[in-house]
Amino acid sequence: LDPDLRVGDYVFADVACRTVVVPGIYLLVIAGAPAWKHCHPLLSDKVQVADRVIKQEVSAQDLTVLAKAIRLLVQPSRSLM
């Protein structure tokens, strides 16, 4: 997420969302652990999953989506810096 998540930040998420339907930031299960990733649906049941360094195409069937980020609120002290 931009900016990066830190302790004390709040992420409002749609936990009913279980598939990548529109471009956005999604909470996925990656290697058995939850991770926020930028996702973009592509043609033919593919999804581009990206972070700051790596972009890869994945089959939508292979993704486990836990939620879609709606809004990020950072700690007030960080927003004043």
Side-chain angles (χ1 to χ4, degrees):
L1 292 170
D2 295 319
D4 291 332
L5 285 174
R6 295 190 181 157
V7 173
D9 291 346
Y10 294 93
V11 177
F12 292 89
D14 177 2
V15 295
C17 181
R18 297 298 179 177
T19 58
V20 176
V21 291
V22 296
I25 299 171
Y26 290 81
L27 182 60
L28 308 175
V29 175
I30 307 285
W36 291 102
K37 299 288 182 178
H38 293 271
C39 295
H40 186 86
L42 302 171
L43 296 175
S44 71
D45 196 38
K46 297 283 186 180
V47 176
Q48 182 183 56
V49 178
D51 58 22
R52 293 179 187 250
V53 179
I54 299 170
K55 288 184 182 179
Q56 61 185 25
E57 287 185 20
V58 181
S59 172
Q61 297 172 0
D62 294 337
L63 287 179
T64 302
V65 178
L66 300 177
K68 180 182 185 308
I70 298 170
R71 186 171 183 191
L72 171 66
L73 295 177
V74 297
Q75 291 178 342
S77 60
R78 283 187 37 210
S79 64
L80 298 176
M81 295 179 157

